[in-house]
Amino acid sequence: MNLSSRSRILIQGIDSPQATQYALQMKAYGTNIVAGISAGLGGETIAEIPVFDLVEDAIAKVGKVEATLIFVHPYQVLDAAKEALAAKIPRILLLTNGVPPLDLICLLREAKKTDTLILGPGSSGIIIPEKISLGKLNPEFYTSGKIGVISSSESLAYEVVLELNRVGLGQSFVVTIGNEPMIGSSFQQWLSILATDSNTEAIVLIGQPDSSQLEVANYYRNAKLKKPVIAYLVGLNAPKEKIYRDATTIIANQLSYSVSTDNNHNKIVNALKQAGVLIAKCPSEIPVLLSKTLLTEKLTQKN
Amino acid sequence: MELLEYQAKELFREVGIPVLPSQKIAEPRELKKLQIPYPVVLKSQVRVGGRGKAGGIRFVANTIDAIAAARAIFNLSILGEYPKFILAEAQFNAEQEFFLAVVLDYDLQCPVLLGSATGGMNVELLLENLQQVVVENDFSPFLARRLAVKMGLKSQLLQSVSDVIEKMYRLFQENDLELIEINPLGVNASGQLMALDGKITVNDYAWARHQELIALNSANQVSEILDSTQPQWSWYDDKGKVAIICNHPDLALLTWDLVVQNKGKPACCAVISDVDSALAASQQLSQVLAQLPDLKGLKVILINILTDQATEQKMIEAIAEYLEVIIEPQPKSTGEERQLVANGALVRSRPTSANKSSVNRKPLSSVKFVLRFLNSKLDWFPETELEKQVYWSQNLEEAVAQAISLVKSK
């Protein structure tokens, strides 16, 4: 993904304390935030960022932007994202949690028409260490390197990155896709983005096991990626209440008044393994697997 | 948030889905003023399923029987739930029973229409004939007709059932529903349709923007919505040895997995959240510690919290307070000093009666704390005690190993 410290970034809902706080953190990291949006506060500045009433006003004044970060209330996310779509912003990052699913369905349909990337809702953002930080990720945790990390949440990304840093494996790109029941861009979409990223040599996926990893397995098997992919799935042992995602199972489960005990975890792990994805059992195993595969890759390249 | 049957039926009535005349009963004696002619059905208004089989539905022919039956229903708990209301409803002679639903499908990321021509109590048969139509784009009535055709309906029923599906979809869309279901949709000899039972679940995220639904629910029911700002223990295992506290659900899953992988037995788990909460993270920590379940085998509390140093400091204070250790305020460190220096200014305080009564503390002499914090060392916990009670590691897997070795050492 073509993002750098030169990328021009917008923040919608910049007046919220959270947005202001993260705007300062991002700016300190060198992120080029060119404008903020807050209806009624046009003409003011927040965190030394010029504020506009409308996205279109901001773009008329400061020029095109590469991405917008949306920090508004969950019930205003759809509207804010539609405003960004109308202004043809190619990437929309939703940092807000709790967006009603019917709003999200509407947004995803619109975004699909224009091939706009939607990250989140409930994402903590993206960081390319030493280049750019978009969102809430604490830049202190990350070091620059060659490993791409796709995580459902910030805390899982931290756990993995701590282990990578310990053995000197820095990161080329870290993205948190959000762990809401319904999200825009998936593990598989980000895997395909990082597959073509020239700075990324290997990719680590971390999240809870669900049907989205079956997509990953499918994609990885068919795309014949050269880059090694390591998956670390959490929640395999926890007595978490099972969440049913497809309509028929939801109904079947609800009608039979019993929570079925079958789980798809084995199916998901096996599908990933069969596709050639390496499975890590704990965070410390990730760098071990990475070093091994990267070393083998280098040896085969030499020969 | 799930609505009760009578609330679902009020919404059905509003959009013109046929429902029987009915009356909400809060006390058995209200049946004396029943407006509906006998015979009637009395239905326990509980959210859990299976009330028919449990005895929560009774047919009655006169007031005396009705009052007796109502008393029995009010005293009948169905899977632990007692009804606050009974719905008294006219009877309907159904010759056929259909199942209809609109459900949010999270895999497909769109609503799905579901229908079965064999609705009612026989779940296996219902599911065997379950048909589905995916609403990929905007809804249009032909999708409802497509479902009705798939269900095998013809002529007049095809039209009238499609009409009900269309109205269900309207409710689904307008009220941000997760699920709307009619089971059974009765059909009598003259082909008249009747929604005999209904289920509506409102999406939890969208609930707050539907004032009319909040009004529909009486105040005591609204309070049943889980307050996400109140951290709670969950995933109990009576034989567990390790209680886990984390600051993100994902982190809790990860930590739990690691304990199990290392052959430890987790006992329970609590997630505190430093965002979207009125209470500060350290206050939530105090709260969950005060509510620590009384599990005999509990040996270790493993706390894995990834946060900034200032928050860690407050957490440590909360733990110290729980252990009744008083930490003298640290001199504020200036500049970028990453490591707080212990000043040894620690005193074991006598528990005063005031703070004893405020929280229900259980003696914790045998329970150890293992903390996984990134920044703070724990030099300010007393080393002078007979045995150490608090351990610290920067590394999660080391912390887990420590917790498990503490369990085994006893």
Side-chain angles (χ1 to χ4, degrees), chain B residues 230-233 245 270 272 279-292 301 303 305 313-323 358-361 364 369:
Chain B
Q230 300 291 317
Q232 272 162 349
W233 290 99
I245 303 174
I272 60 181
L279 277 182
S282 57
Q283 287 172 300
Q284 295 179 54
L285 179 62
S286 305
Q287 204 174 333
V288 293
L289 286 175
Q291 293 163 356
L292 194 67
I301 299 169
I303 301 182
I305 287 176
Q313 187 60 37
K314 291 213 177 78
M315 299 265 179
I316 289 168
E317 282 163 20
I319 295 163
E321 189 194 314
Y322 180 67
L323 292 170
S358 62
V359 280
N360 183 20
R361 280 180 188 156
L364 264 175
F369 279 81

Side-chain angles (χ1 to χ4, degrees), chain A residues 81-95:
Chain A
K82 278 185 171 172
E83 195 181 351
L85 284 171
K88 300 195 168 60
I89 299 174
R91 300 177 190 95
I92 300 176
L93 283 66
L94 308 176
L95 288 308

Side-chain angles (χ1 to χ4, degrees), chain B residues 134-204:
Chain B
V134 177
V135 187
E136 269 177 80
N137 295 301
D138 290 336
F139 177 83
S140 193
F142 81 88
L143 293 167
R145 295 198 295 276
R146 184 184 283 171
L147 180 70
V149 169
K150 276 185 152 186
M151 287 165 68
L153 304 181
K154 289 194 168 59
S155 63
Q156 200 213 331
L157 272 182
L158 168 63
Q159 274 305 334
S160 57
V161 171
S162 304
D163 187 46
V164 172
I165 300 167
E166 195 185 326
K167 286 168 174 161
M168 289 169 76
Y169 194 86
R170 212 177 99 201
L171 282 176
F172 183 87
Q173 185 74 40
E174 284 173 3
N175 297 294
D176 274 302
L177 302 185
E178 192 73 23
L179 175 147
I180 176 169
E181 177 188 304
I182 299 176
N183 186 35
L185 177 74
V187 190
N188 69 10
S190 56
Q192 191 193 4
L193 297 181
M194 199 57 72
L196 297 176
D197 195 0
K199 196 182 183 71
I200 285 180
T201 309
V202 187
N203 182 270
D204 288 339

Side-chain angles (χ1 to χ4, degrees), chain A residues 238-259:
Chain A
K240 194 173 175 275
E241 196 184 325
K242 192 125 179 51
I243 292 162
Y244 298 99
R245 297 180 53 86
D246 70 284
T248 317
T249 319
I250 291 168
I251 283 296
N253 184 62
Q254 191 249 109
L255 287 174
S256 52
Y257 313 129
S258 64
V259 176

Side-chain angles (χ1 to χ4, degrees), chain B residues 84-324:
Chain B
K84 291 193 179 75
F85 301 105
I86 289 175
L87 190 68
E89 198 173 65
Q91 280 194 25
F92 184 81
N93 291 320
E95 293 208 324
Q96 261 182 298
E97 292 186 333
F98 299 144
F99 167 91
L100 295 178
V102 184
V103 182
L104 192 58
D105 188 309
Y106 284 89
D107 277 344
L108 300 172
Q109 298 194 330
C110 61
V112 169
L113 314 178
L114 293 164
S116 172
T118 49
M121 301 269 269
N122 187 337
V123 175
E124 285 74 33
L125 192 62
L126 188 162
L127 293 174
E128 215 169 277
N129 296 316
L130 194 64
Q131 303 294 327
Q132 134 168 1
V133 170
V134 177
V135 187
E136 269 177 80
N137 295 301
D138 290 336
F139 177 83
S140 193
F142 81 88
L143 293 167
R145 295 198 295 276
R146 184 184 283 171
L147 180 70
V149 169
K150 276 185 152 186
M151 287 165 68
L153 304 181
K154 289 194 168 59
S155 63
Q156 200 213 331
L157 272 182
L158 168 63
Q159 274 305 334
S160 57
V161 171
S162 304
D163 187 46
V164 172
I165 300 167
E166 195 185 326
K167 286 168 174 161
M168 289 169 76
Y169 194 86
R170 212 177 99 201
L171 282 176
F172 183 87
Q173 185 74 40
E174 284 173 3
N175 297 294
D176 274 302
L177 302 185
E178 192 73 23
L179 175 147
I180 176 169
E181 177 188 304
I182 299 176
N183 186 35
L185 177 74
V187 190
N188 69 10
S190 56
Q192 191 193 4
L193 297 181
M194 199 57 72
L196 297 176
D197 195 0
K199 196 182 183 71
I200 285 180
T201 309
V202 187
N203 182 270
D204 288 339
Y205 287 159
W207 176 254
R209 69 177 172 189
H210 292 284
Q211 289 304 316
E212 70 291 355
L213 294 180
I214 295 171
L216 195 66
N217 247 346
S218 60
N220 52 357
Q221 278 156 0
V222 172
S223 70
E224 284 166 27
I225 303 174
L226 270 184
D227 183 357
S228 57
T229 62
Q230 300 291 317
Q232 272 162 349
W233 290 99
S234 53
W235 304 351
Y236 295 106
D237 180 346
D238 292 343
K239 292 182 187 123
K241 311 276 187 208
V242 184
I244 295 167
I245 303 174
C246 294
N247 65 337
H248 193 284
D250 274 354
L251 214 48
L253 291 173
L254 188 155
T255 310
W256 187 288
D257 277 0
L258 288 178
V259 171
V260 173
Q261 274 173 22
N262 286 278
K263 306 212 159 45
K265 258 194 163 304
C268 52
C269 168
V271 176
I272 60 181
S273 161
D274 33 11
V275 287
D276 306 329
S277 174
L279 277 182
S282 57
Q283 287 172 300
Q284 295 179 54
L285 179 62
S286 305
Q287 204 174 333
V288 293
L289 286 175
Q291 293 163 356
L292 194 67
D294 191 12
L295 296 172
K296 277 210 177 91
L298 192 65
K299 292 271 201 305
V300 176
I301 299 169
L302 174 60
I303 301 182
N304 179 21
I305 287 176
L306 291 176
T307 185
D308 54 84
Q309 193 171 356
T311 313
E312 281 180 0
Q313 187 60 37
K314 291 213 177 78
M315 299 265 179
I316 289 168
E317 282 163 20
I319 295 163
E321 189 194 314
Y322 180 67
L323 292 170
E324 292 164 353

Side-chain angles (χ1 to χ4, degrees), chain A residues 32-51:
Chain A
N32 184 17
I33 301 167
V34 291
I37 309 297
S38 176
L41 297 181
E44 298 188 15
T45 57
I46 293 176
E48 289 172 37
I49 298 161
V51 179

